[in-house]
C-alpha cells in the first residue's frame, strides 16, 4: 500500500461492468475509510494502460463481446498480470474468471484465448445457472458461508495450479460437476457470485483489505449487513 492512500483498481468498468460488480470497489473503499484508512478508487478504462502498482484490483462481469474486448486490452497492457505476480490481491467476478483463464468458449462455439492468470478453462453449459448461490469457503482466512447471485452459462474446469474458492451448498457454482465454486491461485480470487459480492460477504472484503494493507483489521459492527446476509442465505434455501 502507498504511504497515505489505499488505491483500489476498478478494471475496465466500461466493458466489464454489466452486473453492478463495480460495487465491490465501493465496499472496499468504504470499509477501509470506516477504519480511518484513506482510500480511493482508480478507474481503468479502455483509454488507459493497466497500472501494476495499485494495492488491490477488482473486475466484473460482462457478455461475450465485452469479454473479447477486455481480453485484448489486458493482453496488450499486462499490468494486472504483473501486479498479481507481485502479490497484489485481485478479485475477479463471473466473466472475469473466464477472461483470466487459458481459454473460454463462446455460446457460438468459438474458443477465445484468455490471459492465463488462472489455470482453468470454460465451456458453455446447456442450461443457464441463475439464482441464489451459497457456498462453504475452502481457503484460509474465511470461515463464514459465502453468498451471491449467479447468472452464467459457463462450465469452468480447474487445472492443478488453481484451487476452488468454496464448496457449493445451494446453487450451481462452476458447473463442471465437481461441486465447487470459483478459483484461487496466488493472490487472485475469482467467483461467479454477483451481489455485489463484497456487500454480502464482509469477511471476504476484509480478507482482501488485509492482504492489500498488510494489516490485521478489527471487525466492524454493522447489524444491517448481518441482516442482509441472513436474508440472502435464507433466500437460497
Amino acid at each position: 500500500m502507498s504511504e497515505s492512500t489505499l488505491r483500489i483498481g476498478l478494471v475496465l468498468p466500461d466493458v466489464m461492468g454489466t452486473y453492478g460488480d463495480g460495487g465491490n470497489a465501493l465496499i472496499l473503499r468504504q470499509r477501509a475509510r470506516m477504519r480511518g484508512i484513506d482510500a480511493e478508487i482508480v478507474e481503468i478504462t479502455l483509454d488507459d494502460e493497466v497500472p501494476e502498482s495499485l494495492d488491490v484490483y477488482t473486475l466484473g462481469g460482462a457478455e461475450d463481446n465485452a469479454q473479447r474486448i477486455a481480453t485484448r486490452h489486458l493482453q496488450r497492457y499486462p499490468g494486472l498480470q504483473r501486479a498479481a505476480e507481485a502479490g497484489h490481491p485481485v478479485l475477479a467476478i463471473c466473466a472475469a474468471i473466464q477472461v483470466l483463464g487459458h481459454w473460454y468458449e463462446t455460446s457460438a462455439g468459438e474458443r477465445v484465448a484468455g490471459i492465463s492468470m488462472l489455470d482453468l478453462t470454460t465451456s458453455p453449459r446447456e442450461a443457464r445457472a441463475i439464482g441464489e448461490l451459497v457456498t462453504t469457503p475452502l481457503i484460509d482466512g474465511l470461515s463464514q458461508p459465502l453468498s451471491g447471485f449467479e447468472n452464467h452459462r459457463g462450465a469452468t474446469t480447474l487445472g492443478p495450479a488453481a484451487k476452488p474458492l468454496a464448496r457449493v451448498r445451494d446453487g450451481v457454482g462452476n458447473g463442471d460437476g465437481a461441486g465447487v465454486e470459483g478459483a484461487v491461485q496466488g493472490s487472485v480470487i475469482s467467483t461467479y457470485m454477483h451481489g455485489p459480492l463484497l456487500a454480502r460477504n464482509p469477511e471476504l472484503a476484509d480478507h482482501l483489505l488485509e492482504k492489500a494493507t498488510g494489516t490485521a483489521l478489527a471487525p466492524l459492527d454493522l447489524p444491517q449487513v448481518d441482516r442482509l446476509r441472513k436474508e440472502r442465505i435464507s433466500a437460497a434455501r
Side-chain angles (χ1 to χ4, degrees), residues 190-211:
S190 63
T191 173
Y192 277 106
M193 293 185 182
H194 302 290
L197 170 74
L198 298 184
R200 296 171 60 155
N201 299 282
E203 185 183 50
L204 178 56
D206 287 349
H207 177 80
L208 291 166
L209 285 174
E210 289 183 342
K211 296 292 185 183

Side-chain angles (χ1 to χ4, degrees), residues 118-174:
L118 293 172
D119 184 18
L120 56 82
T121 59
T122 304
S123 301
R125 285 168 43 86
E126 288 187 11
R128 190 168 195 84
I130 183 166
E132 292 291 325
L133 176 61
V134 177
T135 67
T136 301
L138 296 174
I139 64 172
D140 292 339
L142 299 182
S143 60
Q144 300 175 8
L146 298 169
S147 84
F149 189 86
E150 61 182 340
N151 182 6
H152 66 93
R153 281 194 61 196
T156 294
T157 301
L158 307 186
K163 304 302 180 185
L165 170 63
R167 185 163 301 283
V168 175
R169 284 172 40 179
D170 297 281
V172 174
N174 288 355

Side-chain angles (χ1 to χ4, degrees), residues 42-87:
V42 179
E43 289 198 5
I44 304 152
T45 71
L46 291 174
D47 294 326
D48 305 312
E49 297 185 17
V50 182
E52 60 185 273
S53 58
L54 304 183
D55 299 302
V56 57
Y57 296 77
T58 67
L59 302 89
E63 294 83 16
D64 285 353
N65 189 53
Q67 284 180 247
R68 293 171 182 269
I69 295 169
T71 301
R72 288 196 296 267
H73 193 80
L74 295 174
Q75 288 169 336
R76 182 179 181 187
Y77 301 111
L80 183 69
Q81 296 90 309
R82 293 172 183 154
E85 289 168 1

Side-chain angles (χ1 to χ4, degrees), residues 4-17:
S4 58
T5 303
L6 177 75
R7 294 168 300 163
I8 303 161
L10 179 56
V11 182
L12 301 180
D14 43 350
V15 287
M16 301 287 284

